Amino acid sequence: FHDSSVIPDGAEISSYLFRDTPKRYFFVVEEDNTPLAVTVTPCDAPLEWKLSVQELPEEASGEGSEPLEQQKQQITNEEGTELFSYKGNDVEYFVSSSSPSGLYQLDLLSTEKDTHFKVYATTTPESDQPYPELPYDPRIDVTSLGRTTVTLAWKPSPTASLLKQPIQYCIVINKEHNFKSLCAVEAKLGSDDAFMLAPKPGLDFSPFDFAHFGFPSDSNSGKERAFLKSSSKFGRQPSSRPRVDLHKVCVGNKNIFTVSDLKPDTQYYFDMFAVNTDTNMSTAYVGTFARTKEEAKQKTVELKDGKVTDVFIKRKGAKFLRFAPVSSHQKVTFSVHSCLDAVPIQVRRDGKLLLSQNVEGVRQFQLRGKAKAKYLIRLKGSKKGASVLKILATTRPNKQSFPSLPEDTRIKAFDKLRTCSSVTVAWLGTQERNKFCIYKREVDDSYSEEQKKREQNQCLGPDTRKKSEKVLCKYFHSQNIQKAVTTETIRGLQPGKSYLLDVYVIGHGGQSVKYQSKLVKTRKFC
């Protein structure tokens, strides 16, 4: 921070104001009819500032003139002629093509809070041009609008296109308001830093605070500050504050940019700054705002009591189902059959969350009923690919549509019982009597586990198979779950060939579930 009260000619200074504590800066113009430009940039709070001029003492000009500090002492108490005043948070400037010689005085005050600001003064504004120039149309255009993206375009700064100076454009995105300066953006981005926790004079003054936000302390300032900066235990921890929802992206010298990863149906404010990369001084374009498009309204599927509904969900998509039982009911049963991967399911009754789980294979959930209740079911698609499900909702407890399944739905092949024309396999059943059908299909030797995975739609029933692929159907169950296992020998196969075996279990309602497919190979020589 600039800690002298003299403003240098042609350099931007940064400084700090405590609330309700005025600050005064001086600037000397040696000769009459001198051009003059003064720019004041408030950072994170409105400022009140005024520029005034006083005549220099007669002996102050020419060789051997007294140092400015002494001149200043002589006339500090006098009030000069006011040239310009401003109150607000805009970047404001005073420009004169012909100013009288004199001691110029800049008074600044912040009544809102402790803040910092920037000042730039020059007597050669024509040749300096430190701030990038704005084009004749300084607005940012929103050229396209999506649910999560906004494309912005703007006209180039003449400083870049005509003067060929190194300019880059920085875009700032936030949900609160537009910004008048890049300095204000940086103040907001740094507002969760201890820098903004400036101590009040006389209240909380320790060298630690000063060192932490850039002011030297009076005693042994250089060494102490260097030491304190490297030691984090003296610094207040910035992580205790919530992060500011503000993003700054510098895009080089492009004149069009698409902002992505936004939230649907949300208002965003966009600001754009042309930054001179040599001087780091910037100029703000006229900011804009835009509301992203809404998510496509989800169509809710109505479930009928006791009827199976097929559901298809796109990758990363979601589906909403509604069940409104007609009659009063004690319990509601949801039977869900996820045909491919695991699918997250949520069930709400009149807005209250009752169930949130991942469903793989066949699952049944029983929930307590409530008179005139309405149930909303939300199903979420997998990140890997599309999801397919079958779902049944019923208020009749004995209405079982999907057959019950064992924990393990693999088919086991007995390697020692393989021959050139047959294979023997086994699978588990349950305590419930069900019909099981086994199918075979010859596949190439190149048929891989990956292909098998792709065909693992558990919901495709025997009706999708050729009659020639059917081996047999049988009923079985066992009251003793340990003994609910069956074996089957499949005959009439060709030597040295690969076959894909599928077992389907068919429930009383006619719904079927496929076990995990099994790849087997007959012996080549017997």
Side-chain angles (χ1 to χ4, degrees):
F1 282 103
H2 186 76
D3 56 1
S4 160
S5 59
V6 180
I7 302 173
D9 190 341
E12 188 178 56
I13 63 159
S14 293
S15 193
Y16 200 84
L17 273 176
F18 289 114
R19 195 182 77 160
D20 294 332
T21 308
K23 214 170 214 184
R24 179 171 283 181
Y25 289 94
F26 297 93
F27 183 82
V28 172
V29 173
E30 301 262 344
E31 294 174 11
D32 284 335
N33 304 318
T34 303
L36 176 64
V38 177
T39 303
V40 177
T41 304
C43 289
D44 57 338
L47 296 181
E48 294 177 27
W49 63 273
K50 72 171 182 184
L51 183 69
S52 44
V53 63
Q54 307 177 24
E55 281 184 25
L56 284 171
E58 285 303 313
E59 65 274 20
S61 50
E63 290 299 316
S65 63
E66 293 177 57
L68 178 65
E69 287 298 321
Q70 285 177 30
Q71 296 174 26
K72 213 172 76 189
Q73 291 303 317
Q74 291 173 31
I75 53 177
T76 300
N77 300 326
E78 293 178 30
E79 281 301 318
T81 308
E82 189 177 305
L83 299 174
F84 183 81
S85 66
Y86 173 74
K87 187 176 179 179
N89 59 0
D90 278 335
V91 178
E92 195 52 83
Y93 47 86
F94 166 80
V95 181
S96 167
S97 56
S98 175
S99 293
S101 63
L103 183 66
Y104 285 76
Q105 179 173 303
L106 177 66
D107 292 290
L108 299 113
L109 178 68
S110 169
T111 55
E112 200 173 283
K113 60 176 181 175
D114 298 351
T115 183
H116 59 295
F117 61 92
K118 293 185 177 187
V119 175
Y120 175 79
T122 179
T123 53
T124 52
E126 283 303 309
S127 57
D128 279 13
Q129 294 202 326
Y131 295 100
E133 203 183 328
L134 289 176
Y136 67 92
D137 179 2
R139 292 173 301 183
I140 309 170
D141 291 322
V142 175
T143 57
S144 88
L145 202 56
R147 288 200 298 274
T148 59
T149 60
V150 173
T151 300
L152 306 170
W154 57 92
K155 292 178 178 60
S157 160
T159 311
S161 52
L162 301 177
L163 301 177
K164 304 291 181 217
Q165 285 192 22
I167 297 294
Q168 77 161 338
Y169 300 102
C170 294
I171 296 166
V172 173
I173 306 115
N174 82 105
K175 294 184 199 167
E176 289 177 20
H177 55 76
N178 287 107
F179 286 90
K180 304 280 178 72
S181 68
L182 200 48
C183 166
V185 171
E186 280 152 6
K188 183 80 169 173
L189 279 170
S191 68
D192 59 349
D193 209 328
F195 166 77
M196 297 311 294
L197 303 172
K200 296 282 183 293
L203 289 182
D204 181 23
F205 255 34
S206 81
F208 304 145
D209 288 315
F210 273 93
H212 196 69
F213 57 73
F215 288 120
S217 63
D218 290 336
S219 59
N220 193 13
S221 66
K223 285 180 191 167
E224 190 166 40
R225 182 163 52 153
F227 162 67
L228 290 169
K229 268 192 167 176
S230 64
S231 172
S232 64
K233 71 178 176 182
F234 292 116
R236 303 185 181 125
Q237 293 305 309
S239 57
S240 61
R241 291 181 169 217
R243 288 295 306 167
V244 178
D245 195 2
L246 176 70
H247 300 280
K248 176 180 148 196
V249 190
C250 292
V251 298
N253 58 5
K254 285 197 238 174
N255 297 121
I256 188 163
F257 184 71
T258 299
V259 183
S260 53
D261 295 326
L262 302 174
K263 287 182 180 169
D265 194 25
T266 305
Q267 181 145 308
Y268 288 93
Y269 294 84
F270 302 98
D271 290 292
M272 231 272 309
F273 301 92
V275 183
N276 184 323
T277 53
D278 281 351
T279 64
N280 214 24
M281 290 163 85
S282 59
T283 308
Y285 277 61
V286 177
T288 187
F289 58 87
R291 192 172 199 89
T292 46
K293 287 185 176 174
E294 286 183 43
E295 282 279 25
K297 280 277 186 281
Q298 277 288 352
K299 203 174 141 198
T300 304
V301 179
E302 292 287 343
L303 295 177
K304 292 200 169 68
D305 199 328
K307 192 170 182 290
V308 175
T309 302
D310 293 305
V311 181
F312 175 82
I313 313 166
K314 285 193 286 197
R315 187 173 86 90
K316 291 186 177 176
K319 270 278 162 71
F320 291 90
L321 315 168
R322 189 170 164 274
F323 181 50
V326 182
S327 54
S328 60
H329 53 284
Q330 303 277 294
K331 285 183 178 149
V332 173
T333 305
F334 290 99
S335 301
V336 185
H337 182 189
S338 177
C339 309
L340 301 164
D341 295 316
V343 170
I345 179 172
Q346 281 188 347
V347 179
R348 290 176 189 275
R349 184 184 64 208
D350 300 331
K352 187 186 174 188
L353 185 67
L354 300 181
L355 172 78
S356 184
Q357 279 197 27
N358 274 3
V359 172
E360 203 163 3
V362 175
R363 290 289 302 277
Q364 193 167 301
F365 305 102
Q366 232 177 36
L367 306 173
R368 190 175 292 166
K370 198 177 174 188
K372 296 182 180 175
K374 290 179 177 59
Y375 300 84
L376 187 70
I377 302 102
R378 181 178 188 263
L379 301 163
K380 209 170 168 200
S382 158
K383 287 178 184 173
K384 296 183 213 160
S387 301
V388 183
L389 299 100
K390 287 176 178 285
I391 187 163
L392 169 103
T394 182
T395 53
R396 291 165 284 179
N398 56 354
K399 181 80 177 170
Q400 265 279 68
S401 186
F402 299 116
S404 56
L405 286 175
E407 284 289 312
D408 190 345
T409 59
R410 290 174 299 178
I411 302 168
K412 179 175 168 54
F414 297 99
D415 192 53
K416 287 181 180 172
L417 301 178
R418 273 194 312 147
T419 71
C420 289
S421 61
S422 71
V423 290
T424 300
V425 292
W427 65 90
L428 298 176
T430 63
Q431 291 167 313
E432 190 183 307
R433 188 169 183 268
N434 279 317
K435 181 182 179 182
F436 294 85
C437 294
I438 189 161
Y439 282 73
K440 69 173 192 322
R441 173 161 68 92
E442 190 181 321
V443 292
D444 293 339
D445 285 343
S446 62
Y447 190 86
S448 65
E449 283 294 319
E450 197 51 49
Q451 280 172 283
K452 190 177 94 176
K453 220 178 242 176
R454 280 206 298 273
E455 294 183 17
Q456 255 328 19
N457 185 341
Q458 283 193 324
C459 297
L460 293 177
D463 51 332
T464 62
R465 304 296 296 258
K466 293 176 185 170
K467 279 185 180 168
S468 58
E469 293 175 353
K470 185 176 177 180
V471 178
L472 59 87
C473 289
K474 62 194 274 190
Y475 286 88
F476 93 92
H477 72 291
S478 172
Q479 288 307 318
N480 181 347
I481 198 72
Q482 306 298 323
K483 292 182 179 175
V485 60
T486 186
T487 58
E488 202 60 55
T489 301
I490 296 135
R491 304 177 198 281
L493 309 177
Q494 299 297 312
K497 295 285 184 187
S498 295
Y499 293 88
L500 194 69
L501 303 182
D502 286 306
V503 168
Y504 297 89
V505 53
I506 298 150
H508 305 306
Q511 295 291 332
S512 66
V513 180
K514 184 160 78 90
Y515 278 44
Q516 293 175 43
S517 303
K518 181 71 180 173
L519 194 60
V520 294
K521 194 171 184 178
T522 51
R523 294 190 188 278
K524 204 166 188 179
F525 305 105
C526 295

PDB file of all heavy atoms in Angstrom, residues 389-415:
ATOM      1  N   LEU A 389     -36.210 -50.086 -15.930  1.00  0.00           N
ATOM      2  CA  LEU A 389     -36.794 -50.671 -14.713  1.00  0.00           C
ATOM      3  C   LEU A 389     -38.212 -51.124 -14.971  1.00  0.00           C
ATOM      4  O   LEU A 389     -38.882 -50.642 -15.892  1.00  0.00           O
ATOM      5  CB  LEU A 389     -36.872 -49.641 -13.584  1.00  0.00           C
ATOM      6  CG  LEU A 389     -35.629 -49.001 -13.050  1.00  0.00           C
ATOM      7  CD1 LEU A 389     -35.479 -47.631 -13.648  1.00  0.00           C
ATOM      8  CD2 LEU A 389     -35.708 -48.893 -11.535  1.00  0.00           C
ATOM      9  N   LYS A 390     -38.657 -52.007 -14.096  1.00  0.00           N
ATOM     10  CA  LYS A 390     -40.080 -52.345 -14.002  1.00  0.00           C
ATOM     11  C   LYS A 390     -40.483 -52.019 -12.573  1.00  0.00           C
ATOM     12  O   LYS A 390     -39.727 -52.305 -11.640  1.00  0.00           O
ATOM     13  CB  LYS A 390     -40.311 -53.829 -14.282  1.00  0.00           C
ATOM     14  CG  LYS A 390     -40.147 -54.200 -15.762  1.00  0.00           C
ATOM     15  CD  LYS A 390     -40.287 -55.703 -15.955  1.00  0.00           C
ATOM     16  CE  LYS A 390     -40.187 -56.108 -17.401  1.00  0.00           C
ATOM     17  NZ  LYS A 390     -41.355 -55.806 -18.198  1.00  0.00           N
ATOM     18  N   ILE A 391     -41.643 -51.405 -12.404  1.00  0.00           N
ATOM     19  CA  ILE A 391     -42.075 -51.029 -11.057  1.00  0.00           C
ATOM     20  C   ILE A 391     -43.559 -51.340 -10.882  1.00  0.00           C
ATOM     21  O   ILE A 391     -44.347 -51.169 -11.815  1.00  0.00           O
ATOM     22  CB  ILE A 391     -41.758 -49.547 -10.753  1.00  0.00           C
ATOM     23  CG1 ILE A 391     -42.056 -49.207  -9.292  1.00  0.00           C
ATOM     24  CG2 ILE A 391     -42.460 -48.594 -11.696  1.00  0.00           C
ATOM     25  CD1 ILE A 391     -41.408 -47.927  -8.811  1.00  0.00           C
ATOM     26  N   LEU A 392     -43.887 -51.843  -9.688  1.00  0.00           N
ATOM     27  CA  LEU A 392     -45.274 -52.167  -9.374  1.00  0.00           C
ATOM     28  C   LEU A 392     -45.592 -51.576  -8.003  1.00  0.00           C
ATOM     29  O   LEU A 392     -44.813 -51.729  -7.060  1.00  0.00           O
ATOM     30  CB  LEU A 392     -45.443 -53.691  -9.328  1.00  0.00           C
ATOM     31  CG  LEU A 392     -46.771 -54.161  -8.746  1.00  0.00           C
ATOM     32  CD1 LEU A 392     -47.698 -54.604  -9.851  1.00  0.00           C
ATOM     33  CD2 LEU A 392     -46.585 -55.285  -7.754  1.00  0.00           C
ATOM     34  N   ALA A 393     -46.697 -50.864  -7.908  1.00  0.00           N
ATOM     35  CA  ALA A 393     -47.152 -50.330  -6.620  1.00  0.00           C
ATOM     36  C   ALA A 393     -48.515 -50.937  -6.333  1.00  0.00           C
ATOM     37  O   ALA A 393     -49.361 -51.027  -7.232  1.00  0.00           O
ATOM     38  CB  ALA A 393     -47.250 -48.812  -6.687  1.00  0.00           C
ATOM     39  N   THR A 394     -48.714 -51.381  -5.093  1.00  0.00           N
ATOM     40  CA  THR A 394     -50.013 -51.980  -4.761  1.00  0.00           C
ATOM     41  C   THR A 394     -50.344 -51.767  -3.288  1.00  0.00           C
ATOM     42  O   THR A 394     -49.450 -51.646  -2.445  1.00  0.00           O
ATOM     43  CB  THR A 394     -50.032 -53.488  -5.112  1.00  0.00           C
ATOM     44  OG1 THR A 394     -51.325 -54.016  -4.815  1.00  0.00           O
ATOM     45  CG2 THR A 394     -48.985 -54.267  -4.343  1.00  0.00           C
ATOM     46  N   THR A 395     -51.659 -51.745  -2.999  1.00  0.00           N
ATOM     47  CA  THR A 395     -52.116 -51.661  -1.608  1.00  0.00           C
ATOM     48  C   THR A 395     -52.573 -53.038  -1.117  1.00  0.00           C
ATOM     49  O   THR A 395     -53.002 -53.180   0.013  1.00  0.00           O
ATOM     50  CB  THR A 395     -53.293 -50.666  -1.493  1.00  0.00           C
ATOM     51  OG1 THR A 395     -54.294 -51.045  -2.446  1.00  0.00           O
ATOM     52  CG2 THR A 395     -52.839 -49.247  -1.773  1.00  0.00           C
ATOM     53  N   ARG A 396     -52.503 -54.039  -2.042  1.00  0.00           N
ATOM     54  CA  ARG A 396     -52.905 -55.415  -1.661  1.00  0.00           C
ATOM     55  C   ARG A 396     -51.663 -56.223  -1.334  1.00  0.00           C
ATOM     56  O   ARG A 396     -50.870 -56.523  -2.225  1.00  0.00           O
ATOM     57  CB  ARG A 396     -53.682 -56.062  -2.808  1.00  0.00           C
ATOM     58  CG  ARG A 396     -55.053 -55.415  -3.018  1.00  0.00           C
ATOM     59  CD  ARG A 396     -55.669 -55.787  -4.340  1.00  0.00           C
ATOM     60  NE  ARG A 396     -55.052 -55.061  -5.442  1.00  0.00           N
ATOM     61  CZ  ARG A 396     -55.395 -55.214  -6.719  1.00  0.00           C
ATOM     62  NH1 ARG A 396     -56.320 -56.075  -7.050  1.00  0.00           N
ATOM     63  NH2 ARG A 396     -54.790 -54.516  -7.661  1.00  0.00           N
ATOM     64  N   PRO A 397     -51.498 -56.581  -0.059  1.00  0.00           N
ATOM     65  CA  PRO A 397     -50.245 -57.213   0.373  1.00  0.00           C
ATOM     66  C   PRO A 397     -49.941 -58.545  -0.326  1.00  0.00           C
ATOM     67  O   PRO A 397     -48.781 -58.908  -0.475  1.00  0.00           O
ATOM     68  CB  PRO A 397     -50.435 -57.411   1.873  1.00  0.00           C
ATOM     69  CG  PRO A 397     -51.887 -57.212   2.147  1.00  0.00           C
ATOM     70  CD  PRO A 397     -52.446 -56.373   1.050  1.00  0.00           C
ATOM     71  N   ASN A 398     -50.970 -59.265  -0.759  1.00  0.00           N
ATOM     72  CA  ASN A 398     -50.705 -60.575  -1.365  1.00  0.00           C
ATOM     73  C   ASN A 398     -50.441 -60.486  -2.874  1.00  0.00           C
ATOM     74  O   ASN A 398     -50.238 -61.481  -3.539  1.00  0.00           O
ATOM     75  CB  ASN A 398     -51.869 -61.541  -1.098  1.00  0.00           C
ATOM     76  CG  ASN A 398     -53.192 -60.945  -1.600  1.00  0.00           C
ATOM     77  OD1 ASN A 398     -53.233 -59.786  -2.031  1.00  0.00           O
ATOM     78  ND2 ASN A 398     -54.262 -61.728  -1.538  1.00  0.00           N
ATOM     79  N   LYS A 399     -50.486 -59.264  -3.410  1.00  0.00           N
ATOM     80  CA  LYS A 399     -50.298 -59.089  -4.852  1.00  0.00           C
ATOM     81  C   LYS A 399     -48.795 -59.086  -5.139  1.00  0.00           C
ATOM     82  O   LYS A 399     -48.128 -58.076  -5.022  1.00  0.00           O
ATOM     83  CB  LYS A 399     -50.947 -57.773  -5.295  1.00  0.00           C
ATOM     84  CG  LYS A 399     -50.836 -57.482  -6.778  1.00  0.00           C
ATOM     85  CD  LYS A 399     -51.857 -58.238  -7.587  1.00  0.00           C
ATOM     86  CE  LYS A 399     -51.763 -57.876  -9.063  1.00  0.00           C
ATOM     87  NZ  LYS A 399     -52.539 -58.723  -9.918  1.00  0.00           N
ATOM     88  N   GLN A 400     -48.256 -60.240  -5.492  1.00  0.00           N
ATOM     89  CA  GLN A 400     -46.826 -60.375  -5.771  1.00  0.00           C
ATOM     90  C   GLN A 400     -46.643 -60.500  -7.271  1.00  0.00           C
ATOM     91  O   GLN A 400     -47.027 -61.488  -7.864  1.00  0.00           O
ATOM     92  CB  GLN A 400     -46.280 -61.630  -5.092  1.00  0.00           C
ATOM     93  CG  GLN A 400     -45.668 -61.375  -3.743  1.00  0.00           C
ATOM     94  CD  GLN A 400     -44.252 -60.850  -3.889  1.00  0.00           C
ATOM     95  OE1 GLN A 400     -44.068 -59.750  -4.359  1.00  0.00           O
ATOM     96  NE2 GLN A 400     -43.282 -61.638  -3.496  1.00  0.00           N
ATOM     97  N   SER A 401     -46.010 -59.505  -7.886  1.00  0.00           N
ATOM     98  CA  SER A 401     -45.881 -59.580  -9.339  1.00  0.00           C
ATOM     99  C   SER A 401     -44.548 -60.181  -9.758  1.00  0.00           C
ATOM    100  O   SER A 401     -44.498 -61.017 -10.639  1.00  0.00           O
ATOM    101  CB  SER A 401     -46.023 -58.186  -9.938  1.00  0.00           C
ATOM    102  OG  SER A 401     -46.034 -58.292 -11.331  1.00  0.00           O
ATOM    103  N   PHE A 402     -43.475 -59.722  -9.096  1.00  0.00           N
ATOM    104  CA  PHE A 402     -42.156 -60.239  -9.465  1.00  0.00           C
ATOM    105  C   PHE A 402     -41.844 -61.470  -8.629  1.00  0.00           C
ATOM    106  O   PHE A 402     -42.144 -61.509  -7.436  1.00  0.00           O
ATOM    107  CB  PHE A 402     -41.072 -59.186  -9.226  1.00  0.00           C
ATOM    108  CG  PHE A 402     -41.268 -57.943 -10.043  1.00  0.00           C
ATOM    109  CD1 PHE A 402     -41.508 -56.725  -9.426  1.00  0.00           C
ATOM    110  CD2 PHE A 402     -41.216 -57.980 -11.430  1.00  0.00           C
ATOM    111  CE1 PHE A 402     -41.688 -55.577 -10.167  1.00  0.00           C
ATOM    112  CE2 PHE A 402     -41.404 -56.836 -12.179  1.00  0.00           C
ATOM    113  CZ  PHE A 402     -41.644 -55.636 -11.553  1.00  0.00           C
ATOM    114  N   PRO A 403     -41.228 -62.469  -9.229  1.00  0.00           N
ATOM    115  CA  PRO A 403     -40.857 -63.655  -8.443  1.00  0.00           C
ATOM    116  C   PRO A 403     -39.754 -63.295  -7.446  1.00  0.00           C
ATOM    117  O   PRO A 403     -38.968 -62.378  -7.688  1.00  0.00           O
ATOM    118  CB  PRO A 403     -40.312 -64.617  -9.510  1.00  0.00           C
ATOM    119  CG  PRO A 403     -39.886 -63.739 -10.642  1.00  0.00           C
ATOM    120  CD  PRO A 403     -40.795 -62.562 -10.633  1.00  0.00           C
ATOM    121  N   SER A 404     -39.742 -63.993  -6.304  1.00  0.00           N
ATOM    122  CA  SER A 404     -38.672 -63.735  -5.332  1.00  0.00           C
ATOM    123  C   SER A 404     -37.386 -64.365  -5.859  1.00  0.00           C
ATOM    124  O   SER A 404     -37.420 -65.370  -6.576  1.00  0.00           O
ATOM    125  CB  SER A 404     -39.047 -64.325  -3.976  1.00  0.00           C
ATOM    126  OG  SER A 404     -39.333 -65.702  -4.114  1.00  0.00           O
ATOM    127  N   LEU A 405     -36.274 -63.769  -5.507  1.00  0.00           N
ATOM    128  CA  LEU A 405     -34.970 -64.231  -6.001  1.00  0.00           C
ATOM    129  C   LEU A 405     -34.068 -64.595  -4.847  1.00  0.00           C
ATOM    130  O   LEU A 405     -34.170 -64.007  -3.771  1.00  0.00           O
ATOM    131  CB  LEU A 405     -34.276 -63.115  -6.792  1.00  0.00           C
ATOM    132  CG  LEU A 405     -34.791 -62.777  -8.181  1.00  0.00           C
ATOM    133  CD1 LEU A 405     -34.027 -61.574  -8.714  1.00  0.00           C
ATOM    134  CD2 LEU A 405     -34.603 -63.943  -9.136  1.00  0.00           C
ATOM    135  N   PRO A 406     -33.124 -65.517  -5.037  1.00  0.00           N
ATOM    136  CA  PRO A 406     -32.123 -65.766  -3.997  1.00  0.00           C
ATOM    137  C   PRO A 406     -31.125 -64.605  -3.987  1.00  0.00           C
ATOM    138  O   PRO A 406     -31.082 -63.805  -4.920  1.00  0.00           O
ATOM    139  CB  PRO A 406     -31.450 -67.060  -4.469  1.00  0.00           C
ATOM    140  CG  PRO A 406     -31.622 -67.061  -5.955  1.00  0.00           C
ATOM    141  CD  PRO A 406     -32.931 -66.370  -6.227  1.00  0.00           C
ATOM    142  N   GLU A 407     -30.305 -64.551  -2.937  1.00  0.00           N
ATOM    143  CA  GLU A 407     -29.267 -63.518  -2.855  1.00  0.00           C
ATOM    144  C   GLU A 407     -28.311 -63.619  -4.037  1.00  0.00           C
ATOM    145  O   GLU A 407     -27.886 -62.627  -4.595  1.00  0.00           O
ATOM    146  CB  GLU A 407     -28.465 -63.679  -1.548  1.00  0.00           C
ATOM    147  CG  GLU A 407     -29.187 -63.198  -0.304  1.00  0.00           C
ATOM    148  CD  GLU A 407     -29.294 -61.684  -0.248  1.00  0.00           C
ATOM    149  OE1 GLU A 407     -28.273 -61.006  -0.462  1.00  0.00           O
ATOM    150  OE2 GLU A 407     -30.413 -61.184  -0.017  1.00  0.00           O
ATOM    151  N   ASP A 408     -27.964 -64.852  -4.390  1.00  0.00           N
ATOM    152  CA  ASP A 408     -26.974 -65.113  -5.442  1.00  0.00           C
ATOM    153  C   ASP A 408     -27.692 -65.593  -6.703  1.00  0.00           C
ATOM    154  O   ASP A 408     -28.349 -66.628  -6.690  1.00  0.00           O
ATOM    155  CB  ASP A 408     -25.989 -66.189  -4.939  1.00  0.00           C
ATOM    156  CG  ASP A 408     -24.796 -66.348  -5.860  1.00  0.00           C
ATOM    157  OD1 ASP A 408     -24.849 -65.854  -7.001  1.00  0.00           O
ATOM    158  OD2 ASP A 408     -23.807 -66.986  -5.435  1.00  0.00           O
ATOM    159  N   THR A 409     -27.597 -64.818  -7.781  1.00  0.00           N
ATOM    160  CA  THR A 409     -28.302 -65.207  -9.023  1.00  0.00           C
ATOM    161  C   THR A 409     -27.317 -65.671 -10.102  1.00  0.00           C
ATOM    162  O   THR A 409     -27.574 -65.546 -11.298  1.00  0.00           O
ATOM    163  CB  THR A 409     -29.135 -64.022  -9.566  1.00  0.00           C
ATOM    164  OG1 THR A 409     -28.250 -62.924  -9.812  1.00  0.00           O
ATOM    165  CG2 THR A 409     -30.229 -63.604  -8.601  1.00  0.00           C
ATOM    166  N   ARG A 410     -26.175 -66.216  -9.654  1.00  0.00           N
ATOM    167  CA  ARG A 410     -25.227 -66.750 -10.638  1.00  0.00           C
ATOM    168  C   ARG A 410     -25.592 -68.190 -10.993  1.00  0.00           C
ATOM    169  O   ARG A 410     -26.228 -68.901 -10.206  1.00  0.00           O
ATOM    170  CB  ARG A 410     -23.805 -66.727 -10.082  1.00  0.00           C
ATOM    171  CG  ARG A 410     -23.228 -65.315  -9.953  1.00  0.00           C
ATOM    172  CD  ARG A 410     -21.885 -65.332  -9.267  1.00  0.00           C
ATOM    173  NE  ARG A 410     -21.977 -65.881  -7.908  1.00  0.00           N
ATOM    174  CZ  ARG A 410     -20.948 -66.049  -7.097  1.00  0.00           C
ATOM    175  NH1 ARG A 410     -19.735 -65.700  -7.493  1.00  0.00           N
ATOM    176  NH2 ARG A 410     -21.104 -66.547  -5.888  1.00  0.00           N
ATOM    177  N   ILE A 411     -25.170 -68.624 -12.179  1.00  0.00           N
ATOM    178  CA  ILE A 411     -25.303 -70.035 -12.588  1.00  0.00           C
ATOM    179  C   ILE A 411     -23.914 -70.641 -12.441  1.00  0.00           C
ATOM    180  O   ILE A 411     -22.935 -70.073 -12.927  1.00  0.00           O
ATOM    181  CB  ILE A 411     -25.776 -70.137 -14.066  1.00  0.00           C
ATOM    182  CG1 ILE A 411     -27.108 -69.403 -14.263  1.00  0.00           C
ATOM    183  CG2 ILE A 411     -25.875 -71.591 -14.508  1.00  0.00           C
ATOM    184  CD1 ILE A 411     -27.502 -69.211 -15.730  1.00  0.00           C
ATOM    185  N   LYS A 412     -23.832 -71.795 -11.766  1.00  0.00           N
ATOM    186  CA  LYS A 412     -22.522 -72.454 -11.573  1.00  0.00           C
ATOM    187  C   LYS A 412     -22.394 -73.604 -12.562  1.00  0.00           C
ATOM    188  O   LYS A 412     -23.322 -74.405 -12.726  1.00  0.00           O
ATOM    189  CB  LYS A 412     -22.418 -72.966 -10.138  1.00  0.00           C
ATOM    190  CG  LYS A 412     -21.107 -73.674  -9.850  1.00  0.00           C
ATOM    191  CD  LYS A 412     -20.959 -74.068  -8.406  1.00  0.00           C
ATOM    192  CE  LYS A 412     -19.799 -75.028  -8.158  1.00  0.00           C
ATOM    193  NZ  LYS A 412     -18.506 -74.566  -8.667  1.00  0.00           N
ATOM    194  N   ALA A 413     -21.236 -73.688 -13.244  1.00  0.00           N
ATOM    195  CA  ALA A 413     -20.972 -74.804 -14.165  1.00  0.00           C
ATOM    196  C   ALA A 413     -19.944 -75.732 -13.511  1.00  0.00           C
ATOM    197  O   ALA A 413     -18.987 -75.262 -12.885  1.00  0.00           O
ATOM    198  CB  ALA A 413     -20.439 -74.267 -15.483  1.00  0.00           C
ATOM    199  N   PHE A 414     -20.165 -77.073 -13.648  1.00  0.00           N
ATOM    200  CA  PHE A 414     -19.248 -78.059 -13.052  1.00  0.00           C
ATOM    201  C   PHE A 414     -18.237 -78.480 -14.109  1.00  0.00           C
ATOM    202  O   PHE A 414     -18.575 -79.193 -15.062  1.00  0.00           O
ATOM    203  CB  PHE A 414     -20.029 -79.272 -12.533  1.00  0.00           C
ATOM    204  CG  PHE A 414     -20.983 -78.911 -11.431  1.00  0.00           C
ATOM    205  CD1 PHE A 414     -22.339 -78.713 -11.709  1.00  0.00           C
ATOM    206  CD2 PHE A 414     -20.545 -78.760 -10.119  1.00  0.00           C
ATOM    207  CE1 PHE A 414     -23.222 -78.378 -10.708  1.00  0.00           C
ATOM    208  CE2 PHE A 414     -21.439 -78.418  -9.111  1.00  0.00           C
ATOM    209  CZ  PHE A 414     -22.777 -78.219  -9.402  1.00  0.00           C
ATOM    210  N   ASP A 415     -16.996 -78.024 -13.929  1.00  0.00           N
ATOM    211  CA  ASP A 415     -15.969 -78.259 -14.946  1.00  0.00           C
ATOM    212  C   ASP A 415     -15.704 -79.753 -15.154  1.00  0.00           C
ATOM    213  O   ASP A 415     -15.541 -80.215 -16.277  1.00  0.00           O
ATOM    214  CB  ASP A 415     -14.686 -77.526 -14.534  1.00  0.00           C
ATOM    215  CG  ASP A 415     -13.687 -77.498 -15.677  1.00  0.00           C
ATOM    216  OD1 ASP A 415     -14.078 -77.052 -16.775  1.00  0.00           O
ATOM    217  OD2 ASP A 415     -12.526 -77.916 -15.490  1.00  0.00           O
TER     218      ASP A 415
END
